[in-house]
Amino acid sequence: MSKAKDSKAVDSILIRRLYYFFEPYKWWAVLAIGLTLSAAFLGTVRPKLTQIAVDDYISIGDIDGLFWIITLLGLALAGEFIILVANTYITRWFGQGALFGLRNAVFAKIQSLHVQFFDKNPIGRLITRTTSDIEALSELLSDGIVNMIGDLFRIFFILYFMLMMSWELTIIAILVLPILFYSTFWFKGKVRVAFLNVRDQIARLNSFVQEHINGIAIVQLFNREQKQKDHFESINEEHKDAHIQTIFYFSIFWPVVEVLASLAMALVVWYGGARALMDQVTFGVLLAFIQYVRQFFNPIRGLSEKYNTLQSALASSERIFDVLDTENEVIENPNPVKLEEVTGSIEFQNVWFRYNKEDELILKDVSFKAEPGQILAIVGATGAGKTTIINLLLRYYDIEKGKILLDGVDIKDLSLTDLRTRFGLVLQDNALFSGSILNNITLGNNNITREQVIKASKEVECHKFIKKLPGGYDYVLNERGASLSMGQRQLICFVRAMVYDPKILILDEATSSVDSETEELVAKACNQMMEGRTSIVIAHRLSTIQDADRILVMHKGEIRENGPHKQLIRKPDGIYKKLYELQYKDQANIPGKSVAKL
Ligand SMILES: Nc1ncnc2c1ncn2[C@@H]1O[C@H](COP(=O)(O)OP(=O)(O)OP(=O)(O)O)[C@@H](O)[C@H]1O
Ligand SMILES: [Mg+2]
């Protein structure tokens, strides 16, 4: 019982929150309800008019009166038709408007969330939230509620007209209602659960498809198609079963309503017919009652169906609001410090961090400093925590203990935009989007001109390569830039990092996917880029970082060594020294591989 109460409370909160998106259209909704009310009246007044026609005019042979009443009947029918057309259009129109606002809000929210949210939520699920979950609301927000109100009006009018004519027949007509209420109640409960299940299955299906199309090359390489197909089939099967479950309940419910309606009709004909024969009711009344009974069950059936729409919509909106309510774990300072000019000094003070509370520490007491204009290199084995340092510096995640300073200001005191615009970032797997190269570089920022893009790309030696592509800067990339090689994608990302003229440059394994010829070009470009900027370079190949002002050697989340190449190389038993000697053996065999000054 208390659970039912709770869910009612939740429902009413959900409806109130949905109303927020509906608010701009509220006067249209009022109009729609007015129109529905009129349509309900015009629809239900017709049997009454028939009764008057039969009893007051046909029975006494009044042709003029009959003509008059038939005209009224025709007008009522035409009026109802026009109103229903207008109303359908209006309600769908504002419904789509409300959905438009909601979809925008969901996307904007998802976009603003902390990176960790995406570690935990599969992309497919988020796609479901922004598409089909919102679609499920469409009926509710458009004609769902208005029609429900219309149905209530219809029931009310029908009862009113019936009672006006004969209370006795009215009671006979509604004798079956308790059975109808009971079966509706049963049906509602079953279908609610079934609908929740359907939505779950849709999200699962989407996640699966999304993930496996993303990794299609791997799936095909390892000949996993059959296996994945089987897996997909089993998810699809559950999805189908969930749907069939709802169909099953509907297929029981509809005939039940149909049978009850016929039963009510039979009762009215039997009882009313007998009364009419005894002259206790007129034939007009009997005729009207037969029509009313037929009309009566439609809105009742409509209400229970719409109740399901409502249920499925509420199930969806609950999930949508879950996303909208997700607290951003990276909280912006409401009164941020505004940095005018940044010199680019970076400092980590005793930073401790882990990705999840239950996990091990990923960074342990990490402290270092990079002065403006310096090159800071970070080396260390895979998983040592190098990329993590970058993630923290850009506040993709927040640290547990310690402090990170940019120009002496705690980065938590800066607005995220202010912080992040200071950095140019090139990663190993860079995100490209479908669209032209130019757009991929400016990311839609209209303040950046084509000339600026070309200038930046000349600086990083990418101009020649881009020029060679068909259409040059207007060459249109496929989704994720799949039509370019890894190295080419990397080069475009160099331009993207540079075009904003950032004060601090971060290269995380940035040169690892280009060939040695390009690497030389890129190395030159990098030198150019690092001029006058603080730079953080993460590299596995030590040859690329020998000229860094400072090298941090990370090991299992700790900084074990910290100093320039010349100093680290002399340290007996040093990790860096060992790493260098290991790699030096390789490099000694490939003269010229050692990259230009970096
Ligand atoms: N999003 C994440 N959620 C949970 N743990 C993570 C996440 N990203 C990284 N880790 C863990 O943090 C540790 C450090 O990862 P990090 O990416 O910083 O390594 P790295 O030094 O950059 O390695 P590589 O040289 O391979 O790029 C790893 O043990 C990894 O498992
Ligand atoms: Mg890394």
Side-chain angles (χ1 to χ4, degrees):
M1 184 66 209
S2 88
K3 197 159 179 211
K5 235 186 197 163
D6 283 348
S7 90
K8 280 240 167 56
V10 170
D11 287 355
S12 75
I13 292 172
L14 286 176
I15 289 172
R16 222 170 307 150
R17 296 194 57 184
L18 281 175
Y19 177 72
Y20 172 81
F21 295 94
F22 206 62
E23 167 102 47
Y25 306 96
K26 67 175 174 213
W27 292 113
W28 286 101
V30 170
L31 173 68
I33 290 170
L35 290 175
T36 310
L37 178 69
S38 329
F41 177 76
L42 291 176
T44 52
V45 81
R46 275 183 282 128
K48 175 70 190 164
L49 292 177
T50 318
Q51 180 256 322
I52 296 173
V54 171
D55 291 345
D56 296 358
Y57 300 101
I58 294 179
S59 57
I60 58 166
D62 180 350
I63 297 293
D64 285 348
L66 186 63
F67 174 77
W68 182 77
I69 204 99
I70 296 292
T71 311
L72 263 188
L73 257 173
L75 284 178
L77 193 63
E80 192 191 3
F81 172 79
I82 292 169
I83 289 173
L84 285 181
V85 170
N87 216 18
T88 306
Y89 185 82
I90 292 172
T91 50
R92 298 274 155 129
W93 170 79
F94 68 62
Q96 288 302 324
L99 288 189
F100 168 83
L102 184 61
R103 212 181 281 117
N104 281 348
V106 172
F107 182 73
K109 177 71 190 193
I110 289 179
Q111 234 192 170
S112 75
L113 281 172
H114 52 282
V115 173
Q116 187 136 35
F117 177 78
F118 301 92
D119 297 345
K120 291 177 182 161
N121 288 282
I123 298 174
R125 194 185 294 165
L126 298 177
I127 293 175
T128 313
R129 295 293 167 271
T130 34
T131 55
S132 72
D133 269 336
I134 289 188
E135 219 38 63
L137 288 180
S138 112
E139 259 186 88
L140 174 73
L141 285 187
S142 52
D143 48 9
I145 287 183
V146 172
N147 279 347
M148 274 172 110
I149 295 172
D151 284 340
L152 285 175
F153 283 144
R154 267 170 211 272
I155 293 172
F156 170 79
F157 283 134
I158 291 171
L159 282 175
Y160 171 76
F161 285 125
M162 290 204 297
L163 280 171
M164 285 249 299
M165 290 186 287
S166 158
W167 64 266
E168 230 180 317
L169 269 184
T170 308
I171 290 176
I172 295 293
I174 62 176
L175 222 47
V176 297
L177 277 191
I179 310 177
L180 186 69
F181 284 145
Y182 177 78
S183 46
T184 308
F185 185 72
W186 172 85
F187 173 68
K188 272 183 340 200
K190 293 288 182 194
V191 159
R192 175 171 196 161
V193 177
F195 267 129
L196 272 172
N197 199 8
V198 167
R199 299 235 66 80
D200 267 344
Q201 300 300 341
I202 291 177
R204 275 187 70 198
L205 210 59
N206 280 350
S207 299
F208 187 86
V209 172
Q210 201 275 336
E211 195 173 11
H212 285 84
I213 289 182
N214 240 350
I216 187 70
I218 297 296
V219 170
Q220 292 183 351
L221 173 68
F222 288 92
N223 296 314
R224 303 302 284 173
E225 291 98 326
Q226 189 56 43
K227 196 91 191 143
Q228 302 306 349
K229 185 166 159 273
D230 293 346
H231 195 164
F232 180 80
E233 273 177 16
S234 82
I235 296 180
N236 195 12
E237 178 101 30
E238 283 171 43
H239 175 247
K240 183 190 74 183
D241 290 346
H243 263 295
I244 289 179
Q245 190 87 49
T246 66
I247 294 169
F248 171 73
Y249 293 125
F250 273 103
S251 61
I252 295 183
F253 183 65
W254 280 334
V256 166
V257 175
E258 216 51 61
V259 166
L260 289 176
S262 305
L263 192 63
M265 180 81 78
L267 283 173
V268 165
V269 172
W270 166 68
Y271 189 84
R275 291 281 133 150
L277 289 177
M278 290 185 272
D279 268 346
Q280 280 163 351
V281 292
T282 63
F283 275 103
V285 169
L286 181 61
L287 208 59
F289 259 83
I290 290 174
Q291 290 183 44
Y292 277 131
V293 168
R294 194 178 297 143
Q295 279 193 353
F296 192 56
F297 281 82
N298 278 339
I300 289 185
R301 194 168 89 173
L303 272 180
S304 50
E305 267 175 44
K306 267 157 222 137
Y307 182 83
N308 292 315
T309 318
L310 184 71
Q311 287 307 322
S312 111
L314 287 179
S316 289
S317 58
E318 203 167 336
R319 278 150 217 232
I320 291 169
F321 284 122
D322 268 353
V323 172
L324 288 178
D325 290 344
T326 309
E327 299 247 353
N328 210 329
E329 278 167 26
V330 173
I331 300 163
E332 289 206 63
N333 188 328
N335 304 306
V337 177
K338 189 91 193 91
L339 280 182
E340 289 303 331
E341 272 299 309
V342 172
T343 60
S345 90
I346 292 166
E347 188 172 0
F348 272 53
Q349 289 179 349
N350 312 95
V351 170
W352 298 74
F353 174 75
R354 65 184 117 200
Y355 283 97
N356 299 301
K357 289 206 176 56
E358 59 277 11
D359 287 357
E360 285 177 44
L361 281 160
I362 301 290
L363 292 188
K364 286 167 253 178
D365 204 16
V366 167
S367 302
F368 64 86
K369 186 158 190 210
E371 302 292 349
Q374 275 193 339
I375 300 174
L376 179 82
I378 309 178
V379 300
T382 282
K386 305 181 294 293
T387 303
T388 304
I389 287 187
I390 308 302
N391 286 341
L392 298 181
L393 185 56
L394 296 171
R395 266 197 100 190
Y396 290 136
Y397 300 84
D398 267 343
I399 57 177
E400 209 165 288
K401 256 194 301 184
K403 243 187 199 163
I404 302 175
L405 309 172
L406 170 66
D407 271 23
V409 181
D410 192 329
I411 58 169
K412 287 189 178 173
D413 293 331
L414 296 172
S415 80
L416 287 177
T417 329
D418 196 14
L419 171 70
R420 289 175 185 163
T421 49
R422 313 290 174 176
F423 294 88
L425 186 63
V426 184
L427 303 173
Q428 190 171 12
D429 55 339
N430 284 291
L432 290 181
F433 305 93
S434 50
S436 69
I437 294 211
L438 191 75
N439 263 333
N440 263 289
I441 292 170
T442 62
L443 294 178
N445 183 341
N446 292 329
N447 294 331
I448 301 174
T449 62
R450 182 179 278 260
E451 286 65 44
Q452 277 170 297
V453 171
I454 294 178
K455 185 166 163 276
S457 89
K458 277 183 177 155
E459 268 172 35
V460 294
E461 310 282 348
C462 293
H463 183 64
K464 275 194 203 123
F465 139 70
I466 296 176
K467 270 302 244 206
K468 267 189 241 154
L469 293 169
Y473 287 85
D474 297 313
Y475 177 68
V476 174
L477 302 184
N478 296 347
E479 217 173 315
R480 286 177 288 135
S483 50
L484 295 180
S485 77
M486 275 287 258
Q488 291 170 327
R489 280 180 243 171
Q490 202 99 48
L491 292 179
I492 290 174
C493 293
F494 276 119
V495 187
R496 185 198 283 168
M498 292 314 295
V499 81
Y500 282 91
D501 190 18
K503 203 65 207 166
I504 303 154
L505 190 67
I506 297 174
L507 307 174
D508 188 350
E509 296 289 343
T511 57
S512 55
S513 39
V514 292
D515 61 55
S516 40
E517 193 184 337
T518 316
E519 191 175 339
E520 218 158 313
L521 272 181
V522 168
K524 262 204 262 167
C526 287
N527 285 333
Q528 193 96 44
M529 283 154 75
M530 290 175 188
E531 279 284 321
R533 295 191 166 91
T534 312
S535 311
I536 301 182
V537 182
I538 299 178
H540 278 134
R541 241 178 281 139
L542 302 187
S543 56
T544 54
I545 50 146
Q546 284 176 20
D547 289 315
D549 295 291
R550 181 176 293 277
I551 299 171
L552 304 182
V553 182
M554 296 213 48
H555 186 69
K556 295 191 175 150
E558 284 175 288
I559 295 185
R560 288 295 187 77
E561 293 163 21
N562 178 354
H565 173 77
K566 286 206 180 82
Q567 183 189 327
L568 295 185
I569 201 77
R570 270 190 251 113
K571 202 169 167 183
D573 289 336
I575 302 176
Y576 183 81
K577 184 166 183 281
K578 263 190 226 144
L579 279 175
Y580 184 77
E581 278 164 4
L582 264 173
Q583 292 199 359
Y584 187 71
K585 272 195 282 177
D586 297 341
Q587 285 163 27
N589 299 334
I590 319 168
K593 175 82 185 162
S594 160
V595 171
K597 177 178 167 302
L598 235 178

